[in-house]
């Protein structure tokens, strides 16, 4: 199915090279490179578990060809923060109980980060719309929406939101 080609991906601030065929998705490529924080859910763009930021905008990596992401800035959940220095969204999800099994959490946080970059003081309806492409089987979404609101407040106070 085509010739493999080397591509350079800028993932979480580091330059990484992968040799992939033209049909390989960004999801498959990232997970093959060890970025297992990008979850493999439905593989058809319905669940949002595989969401990453590409040049600051949320995208489902299962529908993005790896070659189309070459040279672009890709951020996964691990690129937002760490255990020692969590991103406000990671902190609020933890503190407010917005994560239960945790499978959807990376995609939810990525979608919320994309929203907060453009909308630092979102309404609940804006949060609902921004996260509508992300499915969660465990929560009733209420804690997730509350966590996004709390993180937005922290980010505005700290001057992290635009």
């Amino acid at each position: 199915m085509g010739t493999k080609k080397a591509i350079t991906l800028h993932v979480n601030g580091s330059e990484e090279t992968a040799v992939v065929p033209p049909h390989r998705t960004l999801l498959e490529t990232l997970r093959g490179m060890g970025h297992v924080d990008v979850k493999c859910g439905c593989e058809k763009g319905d669940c949002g578990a595989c969401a990453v930021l590409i040049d600051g905008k949320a995208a489902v990596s299962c529908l993005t060809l790896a070659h189309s992401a070459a040279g672009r800035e890709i951020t996964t959940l691990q690129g937002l923060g760490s255990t020692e220095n969590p991103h406000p969204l990671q902190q609020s999800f933890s503190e407010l109980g917005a994560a239960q099994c945790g499978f959807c959490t990376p995609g939810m946080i990525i979608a919320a980060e994309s929203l907060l970059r453009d909308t630092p003081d979102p309404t609940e309806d804006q949060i609902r719309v921004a996260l509508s492409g992300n499915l969660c089987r465990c929560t009733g979404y209420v804690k997730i929406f509350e966590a996004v609101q709390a993180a937005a407040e922290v980010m505005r106070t700290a001057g992290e939101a635009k």
Side-chain angles (χ1 to χ4, degrees):
M1 273 190 83
T3 306
K4 291 183 179 183
K5 179 179 164 188
I7 59 171
T8 300
L9 300 173
H10 300 279
V11 184
N12 299 332
S14 297
E15 195 171 280
E16 301 181 37
T17 302
V19 179
V20 296
H23 65 277
R24 179 78 31 90
T25 66
L26 184 58
L27 168 64
E28 295 167 315
T29 303
L30 289 171
R31 288 189 60 83
M33 297 167 83
H35 299 284
V36 294
D37 56 317
V38 182
K39 301 300 179 191
C40 181
C42 68
E43 293 186 86
K44 57 183 184 157
D46 289 340
C47 74
C50 68
V52 296
L53 295 174
I54 300 177
D55 295 333
K57 299 289 182 191
V60 286
S61 62
C62 70
L63 296 182
T64 304
L65 293 176
H67 284 272
S68 71
R72 298 172 73 191
E73 294 298 324
I74 300 165
T75 306
T76 71
L77 181 68
Q78 289 181 338
L80 292 180
S82 65
T83 303
E84 301 78 27
N85 187 24
H87 184 281
L89 282 162
Q90 293 167 323
Q91 188 72 35
S92 67
F93 267 63
S94 175
E95 289 176 356
L96 297 175
Q100 287 185 15
C101 83
F103 192 80
C104 72
T105 304
M108 290 283 186
I109 290 176
I110 289 292
E113 169 65 9
S114 183
L115 167 68
L116 297 180
R117 285 179 182 219
D118 294 333
T119 311
D121 191 11
T123 64
E124 185 174 329
D125 283 344
Q126 288 172 312
I127 294 170
R128 287 176 181 269
V129 169
L131 301 184
S132 65
N134 296 76
L135 301 178
C136 176
R137 292 178 173 223
C138 299
T139 71
Y141 294 94
V142 173
K143 294 287 186 190
I144 292 170
F145 300 147
E146 290 173 357
V148 174
Q149 284 284 23
E153 177 63 29
V154 168
M155 292 169 70
R156 283 191 309 275
T157 302
E160 293 181 34
K162 294 178 183 174

